[in-house]
Amino acid sequence: MTTPTTRRGLREQVGAVRAEDGSAVAVAPARTRVRMGRAIADVLLWLAAAAGAICMVLVVLAFTAQITLIMFRTGSMSPTIPAGSVAAVQRVPASEIEVGDVVTVDREGELPVTHRVTAVAPGAVPEERIITMRGDANASDDPFPYPVSSVRIVRFSVPGIATFIAGMGDPVVLGGLTVAATMLVVWAFWPRSRRHPPAGANGSSA
């Protein structure tokens, strides 16, 4: 014998089903939680994909255009490039250097120096230049000029992200991010079984 279906009965079927012992089992909230979890996982996967794409672009630029990143630990170039900034630099021949450029000069046995060019003079050979530099925050030029055949010129800089970039290079952080990304991918693509509503959930009985 079929029991007539009422509006109230339909609403109860959507929100809950009856287990064998008569207790209410919520269906809609569980489905909502699953959908929210999948949405969050999708967002995290897109963020991870974007980060991976950025890394790939940086690697390609480093090999093809000789563009790399440098971090500013001191404020000698403030306020133009304050401490804690990250700059994109590109290696160029010394013949392209002009007064006013901000360049990085590599020094044997010492840390590189990144200052603004204040003077350019010919070197001992055609491809060499003798440059004088000064930090924007300094009152005088560097103690001695630099003979260079190539330099890394600053194309642009982003303030305040050096700490984040340095932290990303920590082996512990990289290992944790790798494990987290692996778990996220496995969770997102793990096959899920389809759940069927229990008997009696369709509002009819024999």
Side-chain angles (χ1 to χ4, degrees):
M1 181 177 180
T2 303
T3 303
T5 302
T6 63
R7 292 184 179 179
R8 181 178 179 182
L10 291 174
R11 288 195 299 268
E12 291 176 351
Q13 292 171 23
V14 173
V17 296
R18 294 287 178 180
E20 293 181 357
D21 59 357
S23 60
V25 181
V27 175
R31 291 179 178 175
T32 301
R33 287 194 296 270
V34 171
R35 289 174 182 173
M36 289 181 60
R38 290 179 179 176
I40 293 173
D42 288 341
V43 171
L44 293 176
L45 284 173
W46 277 108
L47 290 175
I54 292 174
C55 291
M56 292 178 62
V57 169
L58 290 176
V59 171
V60 171
L61 290 176
F63 280 99
T64 59
Q66 295 188 328
I67 294 178
T68 55
L69 301 179
I70 61 171
M71 293 181 288
F72 287 77
R73 302 183 182 275
T74 67
S76 64
M77 279 301 297
S78 297
T80 308
I81 307 177
S85 300
V86 171
V89 296
Q90 183 179 20
R91 186 166 294 280
V92 297
S95 59
E96 298 183 10
I97 302 173
E98 298 180 355
V99 173
D101 290 339
V102 178
V103 302
T104 298
V105 173
D106 297 312
R107 300 181 294 176
E108 187 176 356
E110 298 183 67
L111 292 175
V113 58
T114 304
H115 283 165
R116 191 178 301 278
V117 177
T118 57
V120 181
V125 294
E127 63 271 13
E128 186 181 66
R129 296 291 185 275
I130 307 297
I131 62 174
T132 304
M133 302 199 302
R134 178 194 302 182
D136 287 2
N138 297 340
S140 59
D141 291 343
D142 294 352
F144 46 83
Y146 305 92
V148 295
S149 57
S150 68
V151 296
R152 290 179 287 168
I153 187 170
V154 174
R155 294 304 186 186
F156 66 88
S157 63
V158 181
I161 64 171
T163 302
F164 173 77
I165 297 296
M168 292 293 291
D170 186 273
V172 176
V173 175
L174 287 176
L177 290 175
T178 301
V179 172
T182 302
M183 293 177 64
L184 179 63
V185 171
V186 171
W187 181 87
F189 292 98
W190 191 266
R192 293 174 174 81
S193 59
R194 297 178 61 86
R195 295 184 178 180
H196 301 282
N202 58 1
S204 61
S205 60

